[in-house]
Amino acid sequence: MGRKHGKQKRVMSACMVLGMLAGLCACAGEGQTAGTDIGKTTEIKEAEELPAWQQYAKEDPVTLDWYINFSWFATPWGENLVSKTITKETGVNINFITPIGTETEKLNALIAADSLPDLITLGWWEPQVTEMISKDMVYALNELADEYDPYFWKVTDETAVNWFTMDDGNIYEYPNSSITPKDVAENENIRSNQEFLVRKDIYEAIGAPDMTTPEGFYDAVKKAAEMFPEIDGEPLIPVGAHVFDDKGNVSFDKYLMNSLAVPWEKNGQYYDRYTDPEYIRWLKVFRQLGEEGYLANDIFVDSRTQMEEKLAQGRYFCMMYQYSDMLSQQNILYENDPDSIYIAVEGPKNAAGDDPLRPTTTVNGWTVTLISKNCRNPERAIAFMDYLMSEHGQKVTFLGVEGETYEMQDGKPVLKDNVKQLLDSDRETYDRLYGADDAYWMLQDNVMQLQWEQEPSPATAQLLDWAKKYIVYNGQYDVVFPAGSKDAETDDRITKLWSETLPALLLAGSDEEFDKILESFRQKRDEMGFADLMEKKTAHIQESKKKLGIE
């Protein structure tokens, strides 16, 4: 982990220390012994470099309200081993706040009422991030660090700090799951979260067909539905997908594009992936499946909770999905029948048969965390964040507590058998009792945690191994315009238009109708200012490449 240098306060502090040392030396030259005072100075300097949470743990405990902008998050604080341990070591108790219903409405209401909780965690791409910063509603983390806890500079990644530092020289947010180009280049065990999954027993029963071509894919889905119309009395869902939302559906857009190796740029220009010929060709395959009744209504209307329930029942034949979000369901399937689990196989490919482009998370990570200026204990909040980002904090959130959840064997941590068995079979009970394995994922560092990785269960081993294939870094293409700007509004409108267009394309009654819907999308998008937006995105990615050191 790197340290960010050059902050004014820290330079001033260094000058003061040098001045003090010079003064001490001068006094010694006048016949006094400076050794004792120099020793005290060294003690003070060492104390300043200690994590602030070690000091605050001796003070009165505080409770911080932490808003998590995901309605599905439901792991409480204070009941399991990990949260109790963290509170004991930091003196901080957490009161989680999550939205009921629409996340955007809840967060916008908190911003409008100037009632943001102490800590806020949300997706890095959400426009409310820049809105909170521009409205001066959140602290600059670097200023809190310089004033209260310089340990921040020891536990943050220099590339991530540089990336998130704004034009005013401040950093207001810090990511979880952040991966840099350097991480990808230096680590063979980094994974992509995107895979093409099939239910093992059904896939093998239909002859383990090649599903990389439109013809092979179509035939496999049709055959699976004919041979297995029901799963335990419930209809088979031939093609599964992530939920549809106001941005589209990642299974049918981004994941499919990546599987087809659709590029993010061409000839130095930001590329329009949404109208790529290969992508359109495959969307028409899904359209045809829909026309013939193989796209179940469920996938268009189900919430994430409903989808996860059906995953646990093994009701999907195939799906492009993020494997890490279905590991609990995978373990349930394995416990019931080891052959009913999902496995990763080669999925849709372009006509040239190119390998997929499967991105990792980027330097942006998945979510970012900020400290609200409503926080009455900002010094405790920054120290608490630093605890979670430190190697010690990461070890606690990932492994739990030595002697209770794991033991050291030959210098490596190994989960206790009963703990691992529970983790592999009943995640809900595991979280309630232990709360490790990143149940509190808000500041997880996946690269750091690789050093403690455990042997995977038989249910998940194949998925984890497959996830290392076809890895690419694409963080230079992450583009978010400042909230409230004309560009942000245009981008939002076009994204919303796509979210309405995608299901219409999949449900079109013919290829001719599909073409008309697509052409209407293009025309409306052009009227909204699409060409100008693409120019600005191109300028942004060139800037990002420089910032990340990408040729």
Side-chain angles (χ1 to χ4, degrees):
M1 309 303 279
R3 181 186 285 228
K4 173 79 171 175
H5 296 287
K7 298 296 179 185
Q8 184 177 7
K9 287 186 181 179
R10 301 175 72 221
V11 171
M12 290 173 63
S13 298
C15 292
M16 290 172 64
V17 171
L18 288 172
M20 289 170 61
L21 289 173
L24 288 168
C25 291
C27 290
E30 293 172 3
Q32 298 181 12
T33 303
T36 304
D37 288 335
I38 290 175
K40 288 180 180 177
T41 302
T42 302
E43 288 176 10
I44 292 170
K45 186 174 185 298
E46 288 175 350
E48 287 176 348
E49 292 185 354
L50 283 175
W53 56 267
Q54 291 185 357
Q55 304 299 318
Y56 291 134
K58 303 170 187 175
E59 299 181 6
D60 292 335
V62 298
T63 296
L64 298 177
D65 292 333
W66 195 343
Y67 176 77
I68 309 295
N69 197 42
F70 296 93
S71 57
W72 49 261
F73 178 73
T75 307
W77 188 274
E79 298 177 9
N80 56 44
L81 175 66
V82 165
S83 59
K84 287 178 180 177
T85 299
I86 294 174
T87 293
K88 181 180 178 181
E89 293 187 342
T90 63
V92 172
N93 186 50
I94 294 296
N95 173 45
F96 283 124
I97 300 169
T98 54
I100 298 173
T102 306
E103 286 88 351
T104 300
E105 290 179 4
K106 174 67 173 177
L107 185 53
N108 286 345
L110 290 172
I111 292 172
D114 192 17
S115 57
L116 288 172
D118 303 307
L119 295 160
I120 309 103
T121 294
L122 70 166
W124 66 263
W125 61 91
E126 300 289 358
Q128 291 90 345
V129 174
T130 53
E131 182 180 3
M132 289 184 288
I133 294 170
S134 65
K135 290 182 176 178
D136 196 29
M137 303 180 81
V138 292
Y139 281 105
L141 300 181
N142 53 291
E143 292 181 353
L144 290 181
D146 289 338
E147 185 170 357
Y148 300 115
D149 192 16
Y151 189 63
F152 174 85
W153 304 108
K154 287 181 175 290
V155 297
T156 49
D157 181 88
E158 188 169 12
T159 301
V161 169
N162 287 336
W163 179 259
F164 283 100
T165 296
M166 302 191 70
D167 291 341
D168 63 2
N170 293 322
I171 173 174
Y172 297 90
E173 58 196 292
Y174 200 78
N176 75 347
S177 303
S178 178
I179 294 179
T180 68
K182 182 181 177 185
D183 291 330
V184 173
E186 295 180 352
N187 198 312
E188 295 180 354
N189 291 322
I190 286 178
R191 300 179 174 95
S192 173
N193 203 16
Q194 302 172 20
E195 293 182 340
F196 177 66
L197 307 172
V198 294
R199 181 164 153 158
K200 181 176 182 291
D201 51 1
I202 297 178
Y203 181 69
E204 291 174 350
I206 64 173
D210 178 0
M211 297 182 70
T212 63
T213 66
E215 299 77 18
F217 190 95
Y218 171 85
D219 291 342
V221 169
K222 188 175 178 181
K223 192 170 184 180
E226 290 172 352
M227 288 183 64
F228 298 89
E230 292 187 348
I231 300 295
D232 296 330
E234 296 291 341
L236 175 78
I237 303 172
V239 179
H242 202 281
V243 297
F244 282 83
D245 56 26
D246 59 0
K247 292 178 175 58
N249 182 303
V250 291
S251 294
F252 287 117
D253 47 49
K254 293 182 178 63
Y255 291 2
L256 178 56
M257 294 170 191
N258 296 342
S259 186
L260 301 175
V262 178
W264 288 273
E265 71 171 293
K266 274 190 176 182
N267 302 318
Q269 302 293 308
Y270 200 89
Y271 182 59
D272 177 16
R273 303 181 92 208
Y274 291 83
T275 56
D276 178 84
E278 285 290 331
Y279 176 57
I280 297 305
R281 183 168 74 106
W282 270 90
L283 272 190
K284 287 186 174 181
V285 175
F286 287 105
R287 186 217 65 77
Q288 184 181 355
L289 288 168
E291 182 185 0
E292 297 179 16
Y294 297 109
L295 292 188
N297 291 335
D298 307 52
I299 65 174
F300 294 98
V301 299
D302 278 352
S303 67
R304 175 163 168 156
T305 301
Q306 292 170 311
M307 190 202 67
E308 288 177 347
E309 289 172 356
K310 290 169 184 176
L311 254 174
Q313 296 163 354
R315 287 184 57 193
Y316 301 104
F317 163 55
C318 68
M319 61 196 309
M320 277 171 282
Y321 198 60
Q322 58 271 30
Y323 78 88
S324 65
D325 282 4
M326 51 81 69
L327 295 183
S328 296
Q329 291 78 21
Q330 180 86 332
N331 284 322
I332 292 170
L333 290 169
Y334 187 84
E335 285 292 311
N336 294 331
D337 177 3
D339 287 329
S340 71
I341 62 172
Y342 288 89
I343 58 172
V345 299
E346 299 286 357
K349 289 190 175 185
N350 62 30
D354 294 327
D355 288 341
L357 301 174
R358 292 217 169 100
T360 65
T361 54
T362 68
V363 67
N364 280 310
W366 167 33
T367 64
V368 291
T369 295
L370 307 91
I371 299 176
S372 163
K373 285 195 172 178
N374 291 334
C375 182
R376 289 179 292 181
N377 299 283
E379 74 286 354
R380 303 294 289 270
I382 187 67
F384 182 74
M385 283 183 64
D386 294 344
Y387 170 93
L388 292 176
M389 291 187 287
S390 71
E391 183 161 321
H392 173 73
Q394 289 291 311
K395 198 170 186 180
V396 172
T397 54
F398 185 66
L399 289 171
V401 178
E402 184 178 355
E404 297 195 51
T405 55
Y406 71 93
E407 301 284 2
M408 297 301 294
Q409 296 180 12
D410 299 325
K412 294 184 177 181
V414 179
L415 289 180
K416 288 189 169 184
D417 290 341
N418 63 313
V419 174
K420 189 171 191 313
Q421 183 179 4
L422 186 62
L423 174 62
D424 291 341
S425 62
D426 187 350
R427 181 66 197 232
E428 186 177 345
T429 301
Y430 173 88
D431 286 346
R432 180 170 55 81
L433 294 178
Y434 303 114
D437 198 55
D438 291 321
Y440 304 108
W441 40 261
M442 299 79 180
L443 286 162
Q444 69 187 8
D445 185 332
N446 303 109
V447 178
M448 182 187 291
Q449 291 177 1
L450 286 173
Q451 64 183 306
W452 308 309
E453 200 166 48
Q454 303 293 299
E455 282 295 318
S457 73
T460 62
Q462 194 264 357
L463 298 180
L464 293 172
D465 185 58
W466 190 275
K468 300 174 186 176
K469 299 175 69 172
Y470 312 125
I471 299 302
V472 296
Y473 184 85
N474 73 330
Q476 61 271 37
Y477 306 112
D478 290 342
V479 179
V480 174
F481 296 106
S485 67
K486 181 183 175 183
D487 293 329
E489 291 173 2
T490 300
D491 206 21
D492 288 345
R493 288 175 63 207
I494 291 174
T495 300
K496 182 70 164 58
L497 177 64
W498 171 252
S499 75
E500 297 163 354
T501 301
L502 178 58
L505 291 171
L506 295 171
L507 294 170
S510 66
D511 281 353
E512 291 75 22
E513 183 184 348
F514 179 104
D515 290 338
K516 288 179 182 177
I517 293 169
L518 183 62
E519 182 57 31
S520 175
F521 167 72
R522 283 173 164 162
Q523 290 178 0
K524 290 177 182 177
R525 193 179 61 169
D526 288 343
E527 292 167 5
M528 291 176 180
F530 177 70
D532 181 58
L533 198 69
M534 291 297 278
E535 285 184 17
K536 294 197 173 151
K537 287 189 175 183
T538 295
H540 183 95
I541 64 172
Q542 301 307 334
E543 231 176 86
S544 296
K545 285 181 179 180
K546 290 178 184 175
K547 206 169 183 179
L548 291 168
I550 295 173
E551 295 295 331

